[in-house]
Amino acid sequence: PRSVRLMTFNTYYQNHEYEMLAGLIGQIGPDIAAIEEIPSWKRKDGLVDALQRRGHRYQWASPTNFMEFYDGHILYNTDKWKVLDADVFLIDQSARVPGIQRGLNWAVLERNVDKSRVLVMGAHPSFDFRAHGGDWPAMDVVQRVTPLMKKLEAKWHAPSVFMCDCNTGDSSPSMQLLKQGGTGRKFVTAASHQIDHIYIESSPRPLGTPSNAIVVSPGNVGTKKPEWAMADHAPVFVDVALTPGS
């Protein structure tokens, strides 16, 4: 099949319900996911171990393990995909929003069955409590990653996916910049719920056609729910029929 399932899921930074999380993620069955608010490698290992106990073969794409930071940590199905390159791009917003460092997790993944490639970026910009939110942290991330995105796409000849708990809405200026070509490429909204988004490149390297966008048990962000495995965000996922040659 040409389709790939993408997911973004903020699991909540104090959530240790690894078995519940593994059950939910395994039920959804994403090919590739951005998992937000799982900052330590102890927690990452806890989730992967729980997934593997259930027979779901997942691993983290990035090898970086020397510090804790917030971003969209990239989880992928190792039966279907392999990592060609991956790293973390740190984005320090602590001068305006104290706390744990932010970053952008990226990975170039290749599908085993047909060698299709995709550049996946996962982000979790700061939430500026003093400004009651605001779009500047997400805009900062989008603007800072633009040169990196251009460089990696040119090197690997792969279309991009941008997944996030962006702490800003789909119609905000930062997300509009992403969709209208401000990064040198245009994106479309493949799936979205409040502040959690999945964007896929539409030009110049179209990833494919999205369908079946799902928000699990839709509800307001900030309330922990058993349907979300005690996370305070809903998992958001979508299927994308890949463009031949991607």
PDB file of all heavy atoms in Angstrom, residues 228-243:
ATOM      1  N   TRP A 228      -7.487   9.003  26.461  1.00  0.00           N
ATOM      2  CA  TRP A 228      -6.207   9.479  25.939  1.00  0.00           C
ATOM      3  C   TRP A 228      -5.037   8.869  26.707  1.00  0.00           C
ATOM      4  O   TRP A 228      -3.929   9.398  26.681  1.00  0.00           O
ATOM      5  CB  TRP A 228      -6.119  11.004  26.023  1.00  0.00           C
ATOM      6  CG  TRP A 228      -7.187  11.750  25.281  1.00  0.00           C
ATOM      7  CD1 TRP A 228      -8.003  11.270  24.282  1.00  0.00           C
ATOM      8  CD2 TRP A 228      -7.549  13.125  25.463  1.00  0.00           C
ATOM      9  NE1 TRP A 228      -8.849  12.253  23.841  1.00  0.00           N
ATOM     10  CE2 TRP A 228      -8.606  13.404  24.549  1.00  0.00           C
ATOM     11  CE3 TRP A 228      -7.108  14.132  26.298  1.00  0.00           C
ATOM     12  CZ2 TRP A 228      -9.206  14.656  24.459  1.00  0.00           C
ATOM     13  CZ3 TRP A 228      -7.701  15.383  26.220  1.00  0.00           C
ATOM     14  CH2 TRP A 228      -8.747  15.644  25.303  1.00  0.00           C
ATOM     15  N   ALA A 229      -5.295   7.744  27.412  1.00  0.00           N
ATOM     16  CA  ALA A 229      -4.264   7.071  28.215  1.00  0.00           C
ATOM     17  C   ALA A 229      -3.697   8.016  29.270  1.00  0.00           C
ATOM     18  O   ALA A 229      -2.506   8.031  29.535  1.00  0.00           O
ATOM     19  CB  ALA A 229      -3.157   6.497  27.327  1.00  0.00           C
ATOM     20  N   MET A 230      -4.567   8.819  29.866  1.00  0.00           N
ATOM     21  CA  MET A 230      -4.247   9.788  30.918  1.00  0.00           C
ATOM     22  C   MET A 230      -3.341  10.916  30.438  1.00  0.00           C
ATOM     23  O   MET A 230      -2.697  11.592  31.251  1.00  0.00           O
ATOM     24  CB  MET A 230      -3.658   9.099  32.151  1.00  0.00           C
ATOM     25  CG  MET A 230      -4.576   8.038  32.741  1.00  0.00           C
ATOM     26  SD  MET A 230      -6.338   8.546  32.901  1.00  0.00           S
ATOM     27  CE  MET A 230      -6.199   9.889  34.093  1.00  0.00           C
ATOM     28  N   ALA A 231      -3.287  11.131  29.148  1.00  0.00           N
ATOM     29  CA  ALA A 231      -2.684  12.349  28.606  1.00  0.00           C
ATOM     30  C   ALA A 231      -3.711  13.467  28.668  1.00  0.00           C
ATOM     31  O   ALA A 231      -4.909  13.232  28.914  1.00  0.00           O
ATOM     32  CB  ALA A 231      -2.226  12.114  27.170  1.00  0.00           C
ATOM     33  N   ASP A 232      -3.262  14.704  28.443  1.00  0.00           N
ATOM     34  CA  ASP A 232      -4.187  15.835  28.453  1.00  0.00           C
ATOM     35  C   ASP A 232      -4.376  16.438  27.067  1.00  0.00           C
ATOM     36  O   ASP A 232      -4.864  17.560  26.939  1.00  0.00           O
ATOM     37  CB  ASP A 232      -3.751  16.899  29.464  1.00  0.00           C
ATOM     38  CG  ASP A 232      -2.403  17.523  29.154  1.00  0.00           C
ATOM     39  OD1 ASP A 232      -1.668  16.973  28.301  1.00  0.00           O
ATOM     40  OD2 ASP A 232      -2.072  18.564  29.770  1.00  0.00           O
ATOM     41  N   HIS A 233      -3.974  15.686  26.049  1.00  0.00           N
ATOM     42  CA  HIS A 233      -4.245  16.029  24.653  1.00  0.00           C
ATOM     43  C   HIS A 233      -4.774  14.787  23.956  1.00  0.00           C
ATOM     44  O   HIS A 233      -4.379  13.657  24.295  1.00  0.00           O
ATOM     45  CB  HIS A 233      -2.961  16.460  23.918  1.00  0.00           C
ATOM     46  CG  HIS A 233      -2.431  17.793  24.299  1.00  0.00           C
ATOM     47  ND1 HIS A 233      -2.236  18.805  23.383  1.00  0.00           N
ATOM     48  CD2 HIS A 233      -2.020  18.295  25.493  1.00  0.00           C
ATOM     49  CE1 HIS A 233      -1.729  19.862  23.997  1.00  0.00           C
ATOM     50  NE2 HIS A 233      -1.584  19.571  25.276  1.00  0.00           N
ATOM     51  N   ALA A 234      -5.602  14.986  22.956  1.00  0.00           N
ATOM     52  CA  ALA A 234      -6.071  13.873  22.144  1.00  0.00           C
ATOM     53  C   ALA A 234      -5.010  13.476  21.130  1.00  0.00           C
ATOM     54  O   ALA A 234      -4.370  14.340  20.527  1.00  0.00           O
ATOM     55  CB  ALA A 234      -7.349  14.263  21.403  1.00  0.00           C
ATOM     56  N   PRO A 235      -4.803  12.183  20.904  1.00  0.00           N
ATOM     57  CA  PRO A 235      -3.996  11.779  19.750  1.00  0.00           C
ATOM     58  C   PRO A 235      -4.694  12.211  18.460  1.00  0.00           C
ATOM     59  O   PRO A 235      -5.924  12.118  18.342  1.00  0.00           O
ATOM     60  CB  PRO A 235      -3.949  10.247  19.850  1.00  0.00           C
ATOM     61  CG  PRO A 235      -4.377   9.921  21.243  1.00  0.00           C
ATOM     62  CD  PRO A 235      -5.289  11.024  21.670  1.00  0.00           C
ATOM     63  N   VAL A 236      -3.905  12.692  17.520  1.00  0.00           N
ATOM     64  CA  VAL A 236      -4.410  13.126  16.219  1.00  0.00           C
ATOM     65  C   VAL A 236      -3.648  12.345  15.159  1.00  0.00           C
ATOM     66  O   VAL A 236      -2.416  12.314  15.182  1.00  0.00           O
ATOM     67  CB  VAL A 236      -4.193  14.644  16.017  1.00  0.00           C
ATOM     68  CG1 VAL A 236      -4.666  15.078  14.640  1.00  0.00           C
ATOM     69  CG2 VAL A 236      -4.898  15.437  17.118  1.00  0.00           C
ATOM     70  N   PHE A 237      -4.380  11.689  14.251  1.00  0.00           N
ATOM     71  CA  PHE A 237      -3.681  10.922  13.225  1.00  0.00           C
ATOM     72  C   PHE A 237      -4.403  11.004  11.888  1.00  0.00           C
ATOM     73  O   PHE A 237      -5.572  11.390  11.806  1.00  0.00           O
ATOM     74  CB  PHE A 237      -3.458   9.475  13.659  1.00  0.00           C
ATOM     75  CG  PHE A 237      -4.700   8.635  13.846  1.00  0.00           C
ATOM     76  CD1 PHE A 237      -5.156   7.806  12.825  1.00  0.00           C
ATOM     77  CD2 PHE A 237      -5.389   8.638  15.046  1.00  0.00           C
ATOM     78  CE1 PHE A 237      -6.281   7.014  12.997  1.00  0.00           C
ATOM     79  CE2 PHE A 237      -6.521   7.848  15.234  1.00  0.00           C
ATOM     80  CZ  PHE A 237      -6.963   7.030  14.207  1.00  0.00           C
ATOM     81  N   VAL A 238      -3.660  10.635  10.825  1.00  0.00           N
ATOM     82  CA  VAL A 238      -4.178  10.754   9.466  1.00  0.00           C
ATOM     83  C   VAL A 238      -3.439   9.780   8.563  1.00  0.00           C
ATOM     84  O   VAL A 238      -2.283   9.427   8.824  1.00  0.00           O
ATOM     85  CB  VAL A 238      -4.000  12.212   8.952  1.00  0.00           C
ATOM     86  CG1 VAL A 238      -2.520  12.563   8.798  1.00  0.00           C
ATOM     87  CG2 VAL A 238      -4.743  12.443   7.648  1.00  0.00           C
ATOM     88  N   ASP A 239      -4.117   9.313   7.539  1.00  0.00           N
ATOM     89  CA  ASP A 239      -3.495   8.477   6.515  1.00  0.00           C
ATOM     90  C   ASP A 239      -3.157   9.352   5.310  1.00  0.00           C
ATOM     91  O   ASP A 239      -3.944  10.220   4.918  1.00  0.00           O
ATOM     92  CB  ASP A 239      -4.426   7.351   6.082  1.00  0.00           C
ATOM     93  CG  ASP A 239      -4.721   6.377   7.217  1.00  0.00           C
ATOM     94  OD1 ASP A 239      -3.835   6.163   8.053  1.00  0.00           O
ATOM     95  OD2 ASP A 239      -5.852   5.852   7.269  1.00  0.00           O
ATOM     96  N   VAL A 240      -1.989   9.108   4.732  1.00  0.00           N
ATOM     97  CA  VAL A 240      -1.566   9.867   3.556  1.00  0.00           C
ATOM     98  C   VAL A 240      -1.194   8.886   2.460  1.00  0.00           C
ATOM     99  O   VAL A 240      -0.313   8.040   2.648  1.00  0.00           O
ATOM    100  CB  VAL A 240      -0.372  10.777   3.880  1.00  0.00           C
ATOM    101  CG1 VAL A 240       0.054  11.544   2.608  1.00  0.00           C
ATOM    102  CG2 VAL A 240      -0.690  11.741   4.999  1.00  0.00           C
ATOM    103  N   ALA A 241      -1.896   8.974   1.322  1.00  0.00           N
ATOM    104  CA  ALA A 241      -1.544   8.182   0.138  1.00  0.00           C
ATOM    105  C   ALA A 241      -0.358   8.862  -0.518  1.00  0.00           C
ATOM    106  O   ALA A 241      -0.476   9.970  -1.049  1.00  0.00           O
ATOM    107  CB  ALA A 241      -2.722   8.087  -0.805  1.00  0.00           C
ATOM    108  N   LEU A 242       0.794   8.215  -0.483  1.00  0.00           N
ATOM    109  CA  LEU A 242       2.020   8.843  -0.943  1.00  0.00           C
ATOM    110  C   LEU A 242       2.032   9.076  -2.449  1.00  0.00           C
ATOM    111  O   LEU A 242       1.541   8.237  -3.225  1.00  0.00           O
ATOM    112  CB  LEU A 242       3.233   7.988  -0.560  1.00  0.00           C
ATOM    113  CG  LEU A 242       3.496   7.792   0.933  1.00  0.00           C
ATOM    114  CD1 LEU A 242       4.755   6.973   1.138  1.00  0.00           C
ATOM    115  CD2 LEU A 242       3.610   9.138   1.655  1.00  0.00           C
ATOM    116  N   THR A 243       2.585  10.200  -2.837  1.00  0.00           N
ATOM    117  CA  THR A 243       2.789  10.512  -4.245  1.00  0.00           C
ATOM    118  C   THR A 243       3.882   9.603  -4.803  1.00  0.00           C
ATOM    119  O   THR A 243       4.944   9.472  -4.194  1.00  0.00           O
ATOM    120  CB  THR A 243       3.218  11.979  -4.415  1.00  0.00           C
ATOM    121  OG1 THR A 243       2.192  12.824  -3.900  1.00  0.00           O
ATOM    122  CG2 THR A 243       3.467  12.314  -5.878  1.00  0.00           C
TER     123      THR A 243
END
